[in-house]
Amino acid sequence: MDKPLVVVNFKTYSSASASTADVLAEKMEQFSDSNVRMVAVVSAFDLHSISNSSNNLEVWSQHLDPVGQGSFTGWLEPETAISRGAQGTIINHAEHKVSLEHVKKLMEQLPEGFPVCACAADVEEAKALAELGPTFIAVEPPELIGGDISVTTADPSIVSDTVAAVKSVNSNVRILCGAGVKNGKDVSKAIELGAEGVLLASGVTKADDALSVLQDLVSSI
Ligand code: G3P
């Protein structure tokens, strides 16, 4: 198996936006040579600054739109995102839902091999997304997002069922899970359930000591 992933979504937290995003990314970069694939999913505003100052940290966009360069006001146009440092993207996050058509068109537009992590609220949505062949599917029950109980504790079967369902559709798609993930125990449980890593936010972005949380997250891998 490739390195397990710890994917931290900065969302629009004040503790992970603009200058504080740079600081958090620096902390994450300290783990870039470890046994995990550490990914920072940052605001489009912060892509350039973070990718410019990090040599080793993988940086993804939080969303992209399937539009070209030209007459498209306010959209997140992929070619410019890539030139500004996006090395991957999440799409269809519970907080930024899009249609299957959006995901499909976006994937057609992106360069071959560009990592796309499509988020799914449940097994059915994960299966539908798997048909499109994204690099990753992250299953995240919306009601657990931002909460204190990890999906791996509150609803472990959604993780294992998603793994089984997605693999039955497309065995190349890799599965992450998220919502309420906070510590290394949650990460090892995710891997035990068949996921290849976690997608999390508040456990890191709202932590008093993000470095210790990051250390704990990678501790059991
Ligand atoms: O994208 C990650 C996310 O939606 C989970 O958020 O705060 O529950 O880790 P959180």
Side-chain angles (χ1 to χ4, degrees):
M1 182 171 106
D2 294 329
K3 282 183 179 184
L5 288 95
V6 172
V7 181
V8 180
N9 183 358
F10 287 25
K11 301 197 176 182
T12 59
Y13 282 109
S14 62
S15 53
S17 297
S19 59
T20 56
D22 293 336
V23 173
L24 180 55
E26 272 173 38
K27 291 179 181 161
M28 290 180 64
E29 194 174 11
Q30 297 180 31
F31 298 89
S32 50
D33 289 330
S34 66
N35 291 335
V36 288
R37 178 171 165 190
M38 188 71 83
V39 181
V41 187
V42 308
S43 156
F45 296 119
D46 294 324
L47 275 173
H48 183 60
S49 167
I50 292 177
S51 65
N52 237 11
S53 53
S54 327
N55 294 320
N56 293 315
L57 181 64
E58 187 170 339
V59 182
W60 290 0
S61 183
Q62 295 180 3
H63 173 87
L64 289 175
D65 293 301
V67 299
Q69 292 183 321
S71 191
F72 299 100
T73 305
W75 298 87
L76 295 187
E77 181 274 306
E79 202 173 321
T80 306
I82 292 169
S83 75
R84 287 304 198 178
Q87 296 165 284
T89 192
I90 59 176
I91 192 69
N92 195 44
H93 189 277
E95 294 151 7
H96 198 153
K97 297 297 282 181
V98 296
S99 63
L100 280 176
E101 191 56 21
H102 182 120
V103 181
K104 185 169 179 282
K105 281 193 179 150
L106 178 64
M107 288 181 48
E108 284 164 3
Q109 196 178 325
L110 288 168
E112 185 74 29
F114 187 83
V116 173
C117 176
C119 300
D122 53 35
V123 179
E124 281 318 300
E125 191 177 21
K127 271 176 89 170
L129 288 162
E131 302 275 359
L132 306 178
T135 325
F136 300 99
I137 287 182
V139 62
E140 298 196 311
E143 66 281 7
L144 298 175
I145 291 178
D148 287 327
I149 306 172
S150 168
V151 61
T152 53
T153 304
D155 195 358
S157 62
I158 198 175
V159 181
S160 46
D161 290 352
T162 299
V163 172
V166 168
K167 295 291 182 190
S168 75
V169 174
N170 184 337
S171 60
N172 294 322
V173 179
R174 304 167 64 189
I175 294 94
L176 307 178
C177 66
V181 171
K182 296 275 184 290
N183 54 44
K185 212 176 92 205
D186 301 334
V187 177
S188 39
K189 183 73 183 177
I191 289 166
E192 204 180 297
L193 292 165
E196 292 193 39
V198 294
L199 172 61
L200 78 161
S202 54
V204 171
T205 60
K206 291 170 85 175
D208 292 334
D209 183 352
L211 198 58
S212 308
V213 172
L214 290 165
Q215 249 145 11
D216 183 37
L217 285 165
V218 306
S219 63
S220 50
I221 296 174

